[in-house]
Amino acid sequence: MLKTALRNLLAHKARQIMTLLAVCLGVAFVSGTLVFADSTAEAHRAAASKSFADIAVTVTAKTPPPGAAAHQQTSALDDALARKLAAVPGVAAVRPSADGSAALNAADGTPLRVDPGANPAAGYVPGKDGKDSRYPLAEGRAPRSSGELAVDRGTVAAGHFRLGDTITLATDGPVMTKRLVGIVTTEDTRVTAGGTLALFDQATAQKLFASPGHYTGIDLSAAPGTDQFALSRRVTGVLPADRAEATTGAAQAAQQALYVDTLTRGYEKLPLVFAGVSLFIGSFLIINTFTMLVSRRTREIALLRAIGATRRQVSRSVLLEALLVGLVASAAGFLLGLGIAAVLPGILSTDGNTLPQGPLVIGPRPVVAALGVGVGVTVLAAWLPSRRAAKVAPVEAMRTTDQPPSAKRSRIRGVAGLALLVLGAGVLVSLSGAKDASEKNLQSAMFGCALLVAALIVLAPLLAAPMIRLTGRLTGRFGITGHLAQQNALRDPRRTAATAATLLISTALVAGLAVIGNSTGQALDRQAAAGLGADYVIGSRTPTTGVDPAAVRRVADTSGVRIASAVTDSTLSTGGGVREISGVDPHTVHDVMKLDFVSGSAKDLGPGRIAVSSTLARGNDVTTGGHLNARLGRNQEFRKYTVVGVYKDNPVAHDALGARTEVAHDSYLPGSVQRILVRTDGGAVSKTTEDRLRTAVGNSPLLKVQDREQFVHEAAGTMGNLLTLMYGMLAIGIVIAALGITNTLAMSVAERTREIGALRALGMDRSGIRRMIRLEAVTVAAFGTLLGLAGGLFGAWAVGSLANGAMPQYSLALPWGTLLLVCLLSLTIGALAATIPAHRAAALSPLEAVAEV
C-alpha cells in the first residue's frame, strides 16, 4: 500500500499542487510568525544586553509612602551617597544619572513620535576621558549648558535637524527651546525602534527629572572578579533602607527579557489569526481535493479490494498520501515562512515604530509547529475522504464512478443542517434583545455564529441546486455555453458546495466584520459629535502629562476664542470598580459639552456634589438627590457624594462630573488640566485659528489641538485594527478560494474529457469551451458569495445589537461599497481561477478526447 500511495501521489502530482499551496500558505504564516517573534526577541535582548553590559548594580530611590515627611520626599540619591558608594569594596566606578522622557518637535513644528516609553531623556555624564560610553558622539560635542542639547542620529533624520538648529521640546510642563550641539549613537532599543533621545548637561537633567544636586539612579560597575550579588548586598548595607534600593544588572536584564517576551507575544497575535483562518479555509480545499481523487480512483480502489486489500489498508493508503503531501507542504511552507519572517518587521514597523533588526533565529518551536500544523491539518482533512474510499464496495465501484448520494444520507444531512441552523439562529436571536455587551453574551454570540457557519456548510449541497438554478437566469443569457455551465455546476452538488465553502467562510467573516466595523464607526462618530459642544479640543498626548494651567488663560485670550473651559480628569472608585470623572466649571460646562440630563443639572456641582452618567447611576442604584459612596483620585478614604444630576452617557463628560476645583485638588496630578474645550466666535474653524491655539500652548509636542472633525475621527479610529483584520481575512479567503476553484475545475475537466471532445465534435469552438468553464467558475463563486453574505449579515445583525446597550447611538449600517467590492472580487477571482482549466479544456483535440477510455 505504501508503493500504491507513492505511485498515486506521483501520478497525480499536478492535481495536488493547489492543495500543497493552500497548506503551504497556512504553514508559512505559522512558522514565519514564530521565527519572526523569536528573531525580534533575540534582537531586543542583544541590544538590551549591551545596555547592561557595564552595569553590575543600579541604585534607585524608593517611592515615599503617602504622608511622608518632607525629607523623605526628597531623593536620597545625591553626590554624598555617590561618594559613599564609590568607597564600597568591589565598586570600580560610579555613574550618577538623571533620566526621564522628553518629546520633541520636528524642524517643521510637527511633533515627532510621542510615547513616554519611546522618548528617553537623560544627562550626558562624561567619564575621565570626557566621554559618556553610553552615547558615543558621532558629530559635534556634548551639551555643556542649560541651553544646549544632543540627540541621536535617528532623531536627526526624522526631524530633519542640523547642528546649530533650535529644537522645541517638552518634558512634563512648559515647552523649552535648546540649541542642537551634538549628535550621538545609541543601542537603546526604545530609540532604535523609532523613538527619540534627548541629552542635556547633568545639571539641567537633574533640574528637569529630579532636583538640583540629586539623581534618579546611580549605576555601579564592578571590579574584576567581583560577584554582582555579593556587591549588591554590600551596597544595600550602606543605603538608607526606607529611601533607596539596589538592583543587580542581571535582575534588570531579566526584567528586560520579561518585557521583551510580553512584547513579542503581542507581535504574534495578528499573523497567527491569519494563519488560523488560512488553515481553516484551506482544510475545505484539502477535503474537496481528496474527495475528487477518491472519486476518480474508485475503479482502482475496487480492484485493490477485489484482490484482497482491506478497508483499513485502503483508508491508510489515502492517509499516507495525505501525510506525504503534508510533509512536502510543511517543508515548502517553512521556507516561505522564513521569507515572511524577513519582511514582517517592515510591515509592522509603522508610524515611526521600527522593530530592531537582527539575524533570523530558527529554533525548534517553528520547525515543530510547521510539521505539526502542515501534516496534522492535511491528514485530518483527508480523514473523511479516506473513510469514504474504504466504504466503497468493490462491485458498486466497478459498476460506476458517479454514484449519487443516497436519499438516506441526504436526509441525515438535511436534518443535521437544519438542527444546527435552528440552534445557531436561536442563540443569535435570543441575544438580539439583550443589548448587553458583556463577555458572557459576546461568547454566546460567537458560539451562535460558529453554529450558523457550520449549518451553512452542512446545508450547502442541498442549497446548491435551487440557488444555482436562480443564478442560471443570468448565465442563461450566454446561450448554450451558459446553460451547460449551469448543468455542470449542478452535476455534483457536494463538489460544488465544497468548492464554494472557502468563499462562503471568507465572505461571511468579511461581511460580518465589515458591517460591525462600519456600524460601530458611525456610532462612535455620532457619540463623539453628540457629546461635544466645543469647536476645538486641546489635550495631552500622554496620560502622565497635562496642559500647563497657565496656558488656559493664554488660550482664553486668543483672538477668535469666546470660551476656554479647562477640564481635569481623574478617577472615581466605587463599589462597582474604577470610573473616570471630569472636573469642570459648572458655569461653562453646558457651552462646551452637550449634556442631556435625565434629572437634575450641572449648575449645582460643588464640593461633595457630583453628577453621574446613566450607566454609573444604574450600576450603583443611585438617583438625583441620593448619595454615592466613592473615593476620588488619590484620596485614601471613601466618602459620600451627593448626586445632583443624572445625564445620558457622554464620552466627552466620562462617567461622572465634579467641580474642577475639587477634582484638581484630589487628582494624582494636583492642580493639573488634562483638556481645554474651546468655543470660537460663531463656531469658526480654520487653519489660522488652529495655529493661534497651538501658539497659545507653546507649540508643545506633548499637546494636540483638534477641531470637532479631527476629534470625532480619532474617536472612531479604534476600528483600524478591525478593518486590517477584515481585509487580511478577505485576501486569505480569496487566495485559497481561487486555488480551490482552479483545482476543482482542472480535475473536472479531466473527468469530462470525452464530454468536451463531443462538444468540440458537434461544433463548439475553443472560445465557447473557455466561456463555458469560466461561467461554471463564476456560478460556483456566486453561490459561495451569496450564501456567505447571507450568513455574515445575519450574524452582524445579532452581534451588533449587543453594542446597542453600551452605545445607544449604534444602529445597523451596511457598508454597501465594501459589500459590493467583496461580490465583485469574488466573481472576478472565480473567472480568473478558471483561466488555466479553461485553456486546458479548449486545447483538447476532439478526436483524441472522444477516443479516450
Side-chain angles (χ1 to χ4, degrees):
M1 298 308 293
L2 174 61
K3 292 181 179 179
T4 301
L6 289 172
R7 185 188 64 79
N8 284 329
L9 183 61
L10 293 175
H12 305 100
K13 54 182 178 295
R15 298 173 186 175
Q16 295 284 12
I17 290 177
M18 301 305 171
T19 301
L20 284 169
L21 289 175
V23 179
C24 178
L25 183 62
V27 171
F29 271 114
V30 173
S31 60
T33 299
L34 296 179
V35 170
F36 159 72
D38 291 345
S39 303
T40 302
E42 185 59 32
H44 272 295
R45 293 190 186 99
S49 65
K50 294 181 181 180
S51 301
F52 298 116
D54 298 328
I55 300 175
V57 178
T58 297
V59 176
T60 55
K62 289 184 176 180
T63 303
H71 74 280
Q72 290 180 303
Q73 295 181 358
T74 302
S75 174
L77 310 185
D78 54 16
D79 290 324
L81 181 61
R83 289 191 294 270
K84 186 185 293 186
L85 293 172
V88 173
V91 173
V94 176
R95 184 172 61 198
S97 61
D99 301 335
S101 65
L104 285 69
N105 276 341
D108 61 0
T110 59
L112 294 173
R113 181 184 177 191
V114 179
D115 181 351
N119 305 125
Y124 188 90
V125 185
K128 294 180 181 180
D129 58 355
K131 299 178 181 178
D132 190 331
S133 60
R134 299 172 300 171
Y135 310 112
L137 277 166
E139 296 181 48
R141 60 174 176 82
R144 299 170 184 166
S145 66
S146 61
E148 296 178 342
L149 180 74
V151 300
D152 67 288
R153 282 187 179 278
T155 301
V156 168
H160 304 289
F161 299 129
R162 293 182 298 179
L163 287 176
D165 283 355
T166 298
I167 297 179
T168 301
L169 69 153
T171 53
D172 60 354
V175 296
M176 301 173 286
T177 56
K178 308 285 184 183
R179 186 167 65 89
L180 180 63
V181 297
I183 301 173
V184 302
T185 59
T186 180
E187 297 291 341
D188 191 328
T189 55
R190 296 172 297 175
V191 181
T192 58
T196 62
L197 172 67
L199 298 176
F200 308 91
D201 66 287
Q202 186 72 303
T204 300
Q206 288 177 312
K207 182 179 178 181
L208 290 173
F209 307 124
S211 59
H214 294 82
Y215 306 98
T216 58
I218 301 177
D219 294 331
L220 309 177
S221 58
T226 303
D227 180 71
Q228 283 189 7
F229 297 96
L231 181 60
S232 177
R233 288 193 294 270
R234 290 196 290 268
V235 168
T236 300
V238 303
L239 296 177
D242 60 336
R243 301 181 61 195
E245 59 185 349
T247 307
T248 64
Q252 294 179 72
Q255 292 175 356
Q256 182 74 5
L258 180 62
Y259 164 75
V260 168
D261 289 340
T262 303
L263 185 68
T264 51
R265 280 198 300 271
Y267 293 152
E268 294 177 9
K269 290 180 180 178
L270 190 59
L272 286 180
V273 168
F274 290 158
V277 171
S278 64
L279 288 169
F280 178 67
I281 298 176
S283 63
F284 289 91
L285 190 155
I286 300 169
I287 293 172
N288 199 27
T289 299
F290 276 94
T291 299
M292 295 179 70
L293 286 174
V294 167
S295 177
R296 285 280 292 171
R297 300 206 302 260
T298 49
R299 291 184 181 273
E300 175 188 323
I301 294 170
L303 180 60
L304 290 173
R305 292 293 311 283
I307 62 176
T310 65
R311 289 188 175 187
R312 179 173 296 181
Q313 286 177 316
V314 171
S315 177
R316 285 178 178 176
S317 175
V318 176
L319 291 177
L320 180 59
E321 189 175 340
L323 173 65
L324 295 174
V325 171
L327 287 172
V328 175
S330 296
F334 184 78
L335 294 177
L336 180 60
L338 296 181
I340 292 177
V343 302
L344 268 178
I347 296 174
L348 297 180
S349 297
T350 57
D351 297 328
N353 184 15
T354 306
L355 298 178
Q357 299 294 322
L360 293 180
V361 176
I362 304 175
R365 186 172 66 144
V367 176
V368 172
L371 286 173
V373 168
V375 174
V377 169
T378 308
V379 172
L380 285 175
W383 180 71
L384 285 176
S386 72
R387 285 177 56 84
R388 185 174 299 171
K391 289 181 179 180
V392 174
V395 174
E396 293 178 355
M398 290 182 177
R399 184 181 302 126
T400 177
T401 60
D402 189 16
Q403 294 291 329
S406 65
K408 180 180 178 182
R409 182 177 297 178
S410 297
R411 286 195 298 271
I412 294 175
R413 176 185 289 271
V415 171
L418 286 174
L420 288 172
L421 183 64
V422 170
L423 183 58
V427 171
L428 294 176
V429 171
S430 66
L431 291 172
S432 64
K435 297 187 182 300
D436 178 12
S438 64
E439 183 177 355
K440 180 180 178 181
N441 282 344
L442 287 175
Q443 290 176 350
S444 298
M446 294 300 103
F447 176 67
C449 288
L451 289 176
L452 184 63
V453 172
L456 291 177
I457 293 173
V458 173
L459 292 173
L462 304 179
L463 296 174
M467 291 191 67
I468 289 176
R469 288 193 181 95
L470 180 63
T471 58
R473 296 180 180 180
L474 297 177
T475 57
R477 295 179 180 273
F478 292 89
I480 188 62
T481 55
H483 178 72
L484 289 173
Q486 180 193 26
Q487 294 304 311
N488 288 334
L490 288 172
R491 178 177 299 182
D492 190 341
R494 288 180 301 174
R495 180 185 300 178
T496 299
T499 306
T502 52
L503 271 178
L504 187 158
I505 297 169
S506 58
T507 303
L509 286 171
V510 171
L513 287 174
V515 172
I516 293 174
N518 186 64
S519 302
T520 304
Q522 291 191 17
L524 288 171
D525 286 350
R526 290 190 292 270
Q527 190 180 56
L532 182 65
D535 301 305
Y536 285 95
V537 178
I538 303 173
S540 174
R541 295 181 184 273
T542 66
T544 57
T545 58
V547 183
D548 180 9
V552 180
R553 174 49 54 191
R554 296 197 298 271
V555 170
D557 293 339
T558 299
S559 175
V561 172
R562 184 163 64 89
I563 297 174
S565 183
V567 180
T568 297
D569 296 321
S570 187
T571 59
L572 187 72
S573 302
T574 67
V578 179
R579 302 285 187 164
E580 291 181 286
I581 184 171
S582 299
V584 299
D585 181 353
H587 299 95
T588 61
V589 64
H590 281 286
D591 294 313
V592 293
M593 294 183 186
K594 295 180 179 179
L595 297 169
D596 186 0
F597 273 85
V598 178
S599 60
S601 68
K603 66 180 182 180
D604 295 324
L605 293 175
R609 299 191 300 274
I610 63 174
V612 298
S613 67
S614 298
T615 298
L616 183 57
R618 186 168 54 251
N620 290 271
D621 195 24
V622 295
T623 58
T624 299
H627 295 86
L628 178 65
N629 195 35
R631 179 166 58 86
L632 177 60
R634 60 193 174 96
N635 282 341
Q636 298 299 307
E637 298 180 355
F638 281 78
R639 60 171 292 188
K640 286 186 177 181
Y641 288 88
T642 301
V643 177
V644 299
V646 176
Y647 56 89
K648 292 183 178 179
D649 289 8
N650 187 317
V652 181
H654 295 325
D655 303 299
L657 290 173
R660 196 178 78 82
T661 52
E662 181 179 26
V663 175
H665 179 270
D666 294 327
S667 71
Y668 289 98
L669 298 172
S672 66
V673 173
Q674 274 66 53
R675 292 176 287 163
I676 305 176
L677 305 183
V678 179
R679 286 290 298 272
T680 59
D681 293 332
V685 175
S686 65
K687 185 65 168 62
T688 302
T689 304
E690 182 178 334
D691 290 341
R692 289 173 181 169
L693 293 175
R694 292 186 186 279
T695 302
V697 295
N699 286 319
S700 173
L702 292 175
L703 303 180
K704 53 187 175 183
V705 178
Q706 299 173 300
D707 59 29
R708 285 175 57 85
E709 183 178 349
Q710 293 168 336
F711 178 81
V712 170
H713 178 73
E714 183 181 68
T718 54
M719 301 310 299
N721 289 338
L722 180 62
L723 293 176
T724 300
L725 182 65
M726 179 189 75
Y727 289 118
M729 287 181 177
L730 175 61
I732 291 172
I734 283 180
V735 168
I736 297 178
L739 296 177
I741 293 173
T742 302
N743 204 29
T744 301
L745 289 177
M747 297 177 75
S748 179
V749 166
E751 290 177 355
R752 302 201 307 259
T753 300
R754 297 188 67 185
E755 175 187 320
I756 294 172
L759 291 174
R760 294 278 284 116
L762 290 173
M764 183 175 287
D765 57 14
R766 295 179 185 272
S767 62
I769 296 292
R770 286 194 293 266
R771 189 182 308 116
M772 178 184 70
I773 301 298
R774 288 197 184 100
L775 288 175
E776 182 179 349
V778 171
T779 299
V780 174
F783 169 60
T785 301
L786 291 176
L787 208 57
L789 281 176
L793 293 178
F794 182 78
W797 166 76
V799 175
S801 65
L802 296 178
N804 191 259
M807 197 182 302
Q809 291 84 359
Y810 184 93
S811 62
L812 195 68
L814 299 181
W816 293 108
T818 301
L819 297 178
L820 180 60
L821 177 63
V822 169
C823 294
L824 291 177
L825 279 176
S826 298
L827 297 179
T828 302
I829 290 298
L832 293 176
T835 300
I836 295 176
H839 177 75
R840 182 176 300 174
L844 289 174
S845 169
L847 292 179
E848 293 178 1
V850 173
E852 185 177 287
V853 179

